[in-house]
């Protein structure tokens, strides 16, 4: 009688990184009955990666939420906006274009139903991010498309964490935390596994830096390896190394919008195994960063999600040019600010504006939405600024609050003593802008944009303050906010085909190697081109992770 074959111990796939994209890929493999090992250099407390900290915004096209708010959207309009925003112009953009087309069809098609079936729900008011201002075929969202997940980032993660944990209970998934990958094992041109270092246990809480003490080594093998390790936003040296020439000299001072473990280590490791890296000079960093008064990781910054009414001045007190208004063109504003030779700028606004127009990015800064707390949500929609915003106003080092303009300008000088501020120009701009309020029409295009925004029901209800004079005492006190540049996302990375297979320098797939999420430029090594429409980063993790999991399951 023939002996029974020995049981197979090798998993069907190894996933490097326990963030959203990796978890989605793992969930798809579990659904197919496949065995998965997930390795991550961080402790178990950081399961979910960067997505846990996110606001949970997702880009959808022609959704029920949009239609209920009176928004008319279509795949054709979304395609027009995406192409005008991306500005694809390189030979290596071919796969980014293909991913963009596939993702747009996903966002206009099954994306919402797929998530809804998993229990994901959305806040009824759709946000309007990246409004553009350059004409119909230029950058920006023609209509609101930013759908806030009920539960924010943790709400997006929940169904995939649940599915993978169920897979672990069933013996299909094994987590290997504190496993740092140092090398992909290549044999006969195929990636067949990985090697790395075992790191010492660490009690660091989510997002906190963990130790890098090596206590051993490991090697794992599988017919498929998925790189889901994220980008470079926590590694300022790499950000500066690949800083785009078109944006001038990289700033000396940056805040971090992501934890320190977002270090980009797996990108050169993947390149050494044969993967092609493209568009490394394409990045997505924010201009409205404020120093976190209660930080979790080094240089921890929080982004203000602004409405359009605050007046925006550069570090020396010059008003930013049209159409660089709050929430209109992130990278255009970034390029302009860097060109001034300074790494900060200023918002000047009123209490009336901050109460309605300031939100803070991050799950921890939105306890009502994250905790699905209707009472807290009612408080947000009532009078006064949201609690987290008010806390920053009271405790944040970047806020100046004053009853009069001279007091406000003195406060701005006090927290920025090294840069001379033309306070006379700031006063002249504010007074001139306030004169425009005498009529319902104006030559000030920011006021025109504010009035246009309020024609959208969602903005009028909860996002854009009624136009008023900045110097109206009834709207006070006056507020100035010093804004810093905040690192966030890589828009380039490992080039992949539509199955998330990593491509080599000859354009053919590297056998056994896949890449998903930010490590893959959210698809193809750069699905966004130069700029993003927002709500597309988590969506790119979902879409690429799903593609990889399904492709590996098909064999």
């Amino acid at each position: 009688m023939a002996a029974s074959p020995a049981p197979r111990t090798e998993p069907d796939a190894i996933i490097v990184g326990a963030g959203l994209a990796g978890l989605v890929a793992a969930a798809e493999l579990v659904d197919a009955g496949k065995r998965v090992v997930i390795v991550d250099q961080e402790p178990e407390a950081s399961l979910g990666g960067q997505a846990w900290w996110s606001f949970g915004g997702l880009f959808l096209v022609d959704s029920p939420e949009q239609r209920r708010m009176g928004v008319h959207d279509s795949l054709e309009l979304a395609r027009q906006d995406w192409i005008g925003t991306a500005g694809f112009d390189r030979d290596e953009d071919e796969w980014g274009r293909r991913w963009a087309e596939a993702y747009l069809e996903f966002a206009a098609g099954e994306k919402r139903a797929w998530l809804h079936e998993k229990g994901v729900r959305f806040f009824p008011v759709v946000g309007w991010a990246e409004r553009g201002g350059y004409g119909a075929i230029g950058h920006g969202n023609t209509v609101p498309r930013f759908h806030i997940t009920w539960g924010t980032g943790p709400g997006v993660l929940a169904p995939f964490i649940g599915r993978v944990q169920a897979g672990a209970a069933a013996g299909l998934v094994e987590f290997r935390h504190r496993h740092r990958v140092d090398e992909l094992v290549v044999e006969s041109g195929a990636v067949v596994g990985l090697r790395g270092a075992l790191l010492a246990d660490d009690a660091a809480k989510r997002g906190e830096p963990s130790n890098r003490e090596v206590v051993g080594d490991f090697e794992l093998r599988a017919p498929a390896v998925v790189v889901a390790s994220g980008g470079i936003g926590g590694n300022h040296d790499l950000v500066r190394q690949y800083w785009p020439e078109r944006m001038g000299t990289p700033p000396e001072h940056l805040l971090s919008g992501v934890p320190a473990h977002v270090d980009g280590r797996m990108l050169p490791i993947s390149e050494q195994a044969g993967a092609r890296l493209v568009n490394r000079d394409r990045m997505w960093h924010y201009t409205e960063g404020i120093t976190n008064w209660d930080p979790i990781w080094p240089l921890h910054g929080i982004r203000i999600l602004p409405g359009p009414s605050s007046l925006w001045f550069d570090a020396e007190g010059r008003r930013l040019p049209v159409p660089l208004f709050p929430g209109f063109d992130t990278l255009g504003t970034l390029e302009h600010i860097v060109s001034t030779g300074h790494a900060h700028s200023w918002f000047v606004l009123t209490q009336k504006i901050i109460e309605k127009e300031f939100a803070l990015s991050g799950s921890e800064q939105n306890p009502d939405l994250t905790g699905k707390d209707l009472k807290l949500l009612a408080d947000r929609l009532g009078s006064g600024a949201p609690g987290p915003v008010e806390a920053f106003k009271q405790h944040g080092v970047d806020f100046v609050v004053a009853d009069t303009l001279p007091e406000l300008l003195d406060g701005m000088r006090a927290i920025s003593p090294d840069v001379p501020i033309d306070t006379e120009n700031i006063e002249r701009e504010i007074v001139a802008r306030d004169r425009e309020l005498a009529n319902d029409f104006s030559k000030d295009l920011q006021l025109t944009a504010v009035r246009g925004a309020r024609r959208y029901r969602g903005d009028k209800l909860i996002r854009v303050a009624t136009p008023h004079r900045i110097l109206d005492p009834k709207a006070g006190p006056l507020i100035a906010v010093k804004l810093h540049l905040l690192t966030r996302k890589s828009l380039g990375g490992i080039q992949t085909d539509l199955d998330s297979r990593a491509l080599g320098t000859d354009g053919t797939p590297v056998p056994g190697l896949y890449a998903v999420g930010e490590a893959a430029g959210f698809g193809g090594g750069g699905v966004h081109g130069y700029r993003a429409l927002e709500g597309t980063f988590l969506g790119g993790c979902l879409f690429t992770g799903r593609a990889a999991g399904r492709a590996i399951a098909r064999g």
Side-chain angles (χ1 to χ4, degrees):
M1 182 176 179
S4 299
R8 185 169 63 88
T9 58
E10 183 180 277
D12 296 290
I14 302 168
I15 297 174
V16 183
L20 177 60
L23 291 169
V24 173
E28 291 288 337
L29 288 163
V30 168
D31 286 344
K34 303 297 184 180
R35 298 178 64 249
V36 184
V37 173
I38 301 174
V39 300
D40 194 285
Q41 66 181 352
E42 295 308 301
E44 184 179 357
S46 286
L47 179 66
Q50 296 178 62
W52 192 92
W53 299 101
S54 77
F55 196 37
L58 290 171
F59 179 94
L60 295 173
V61 177
D62 192 26
S63 69
E65 288 78 16
Q66 286 175 298
R67 293 193 292 271
R68 280 194 292 268
M69 297 304 296
V71 174
H72 302 283
D73 199 6
S74 67
L75 176 58
E76 293 75 20
L77 183 60
R79 182 183 293 114
Q80 172 182 297
D81 288 348
W82 193 291
I83 297 302
T85 294
F88 295 122
D89 62 358
R90 299 175 177 176
D91 291 342
E92 53 265 42
D93 285 336
E94 177 58 29
W95 280 106
R97 289 175 182 271
R98 296 188 195 185
W99 273 98
E101 183 60 39
Y103 180 70
L104 285 165
E105 291 180 359
F106 179 59
E110 64 175 309
K111 179 180 178 182
R112 185 183 182 280
W114 179 65
L115 290 170
H116 197 272
E117 186 273 332
K118 296 179 182 300
V120 176
R121 300 292 183 267
F122 298 103
F123 187 64
V125 178
V126 183
W128 195 355
E130 289 297 297
R131 301 177 189 224
Y134 300 96
I137 62 172
H139 165 65
N141 283 295
T142 299
V143 299
R145 296 191 177 104
F146 191 81
H147 294 67
I148 301 168
T149 303
W150 187 231
T152 65
V156 178
L157 281 163
F160 303 102
I161 290 177
R163 187 72 186 102
V164 174
Q165 288 177 335
L172 292 174
V173 177
E174 183 178 352
F175 287 100
R176 299 281 186 96
H177 298 286
R178 307 299 288 156
H179 282 57
R180 186 188 71 197
V181 177
D182 296 326
E183 177 189 0
L184 295 177
V185 179
V186 180
E187 294 178 355
S188 302
V191 173
V192 297
L194 43 82
R195 300 187 184 100
L198 297 174
L199 303 179
D201 290 341
D202 198 305
K205 297 179 182 177
R206 182 185 296 276
E208 293 179 348
S210 61
N211 74 69
R212 292 295 179 261
E213 179 186 353
V214 175
V215 296
D217 54 32
F218 72 95
E219 179 171 337
L220 295 169
R221 289 183 169 245
V225 174
V226 182
V227 177
S229 54
I232 67 173
N235 186 335
H236 290 188
D237 289 340
L238 276 184
V239 170
R240 293 188 179 95
Q241 179 180 341
Y242 293 105
W243 188 265
E245 290 185 10
R246 67 185 182 277
M247 289 194 182
T249 304
E252 292 184 9
H253 176 69
L254 295 165
L255 295 179
S256 284
V258 294
H261 62 74
V262 185
D263 56 15
R265 289 188 73 258
M266 283 303 301
L267 295 176
I269 290 171
S270 300
E271 188 175 35
Q272 291 166 11
R276 184 188 186 199
L277 301 186
V278 296
N279 301 318
R280 298 193 72 174
D281 64 330
R282 291 179 179 170
M283 306 175 182
W284 189 256
H285 305 309
Y286 291 114
T287 53
E288 312 97 332
I290 51 177
T291 308
N292 195 343
W293 63 274
D294 188 19
I296 297 170
W297 54 79
L299 296 171
H300 189 174
I302 297 294
R303 185 202 175 196
I304 295 171
L305 301 172
S309 299
S310 298
L311 294 187
W312 207 336
F313 296 91
D314 69 19
E316 296 182 17
R318 297 175 292 249
R319 192 172 174 189
L320 268 57
V322 174
L324 304 184
F325 312 135
F328 277 65
D329 179 5
T330 293
L331 286 200
T333 307
L334 174 63
E335 185 172 356
H336 178 81
I337 289 171
V338 172
S339 74
T340 68
H342 303 290
H344 72 272
S345 59
W346 294 93
F347 277 168
V348 175
L349 60 148
T350 64
Q351 179 68 23
K352 186 173 181 178
I353 291 173
I354 201 172
E355 288 182 1
K356 196 156 189 176
E357 298 198 8
F358 269 33
L360 300 175
S361 182
S363 56
E364 82 284 14
Q365 300 297 332
N366 295 276
D368 50 353
L369 295 167
T370 302
K372 304 180 181 180
D373 190 319
L374 294 176
K375 182 180 183 301
L376 280 179
L377 181 62
D379 292 342
R380 177 196 289 253
L381 301 179
S383 60
V389 173
E390 191 64 33
F392 266 90
K393 197 181 85 173
Q394 293 179 15
H395 304 296
V397 297
D398 298 315
F399 282 72
V400 180
V401 182
D403 290 324
T404 68
L405 186 57
E407 291 174 314
L408 188 80
L409 298 173
D410 286 344
M412 293 169 66
R413 289 192 200 96
I415 66 172
S416 188
D418 299 330
V419 180
I421 304 174
D422 188 346
T423 54
E424 290 184 2
N425 184 64
I426 292 177
E427 182 173 6
R428 183 166 57 249
E429 288 277 10
I430 292 173
V431 170
R433 180 264 186 203
D434 280 3
R435 288 194 191 105
E436 301 282 306
L437 269 299
N439 297 285
D440 291 334
F441 44 88
S442 170
K443 72 176 182 181
D444 188 308
L445 289 183
Q446 185 173 0
L447 281 174
T448 300
V450 168
R451 288 173 172 139
R454 284 179 57 83
R455 294 182 64 187
Y456 166 49
R457 190 184 312 155
D459 276 352
K460 186 173 183 178
L461 282 172
I462 66 170
R463 196 69 176 112
V464 181
T466 305
H468 61 277
R469 290 186 299 112
I470 298 294
L471 297 181
D472 182 353
K474 296 178 182 177
L478 294 167
I479 301 166
V481 188
K482 185 177 182 180
L483 306 171
H484 306 271
L485 304 183
L486 180 73
T487 65
R488 188 61 66 87
K489 297 295 181 187
S490 313
L491 299 187
I494 301 168
Q495 193 165 54
T496 56
D497 67 10
L498 293 179
D499 283 330
S500 289
R501 296 183 297 178
L503 302 178
T505 54
D506 63 356
T508 63
V510 177
L513 185 60
Y514 297 75
V516 296
E518 191 173 353
F522 301 98
V527 69
H528 297 98
Y530 288 94
R531 287 180 167 125
L533 288 173
E534 289 286 18
T536 55
F537 301 127
L538 294 180
C541 292
L542 293 169
F543 193 48
T544 58
R546 192 176 89 142
R550 293 184 176 185
I552 295 168
R554 289 196 304 268

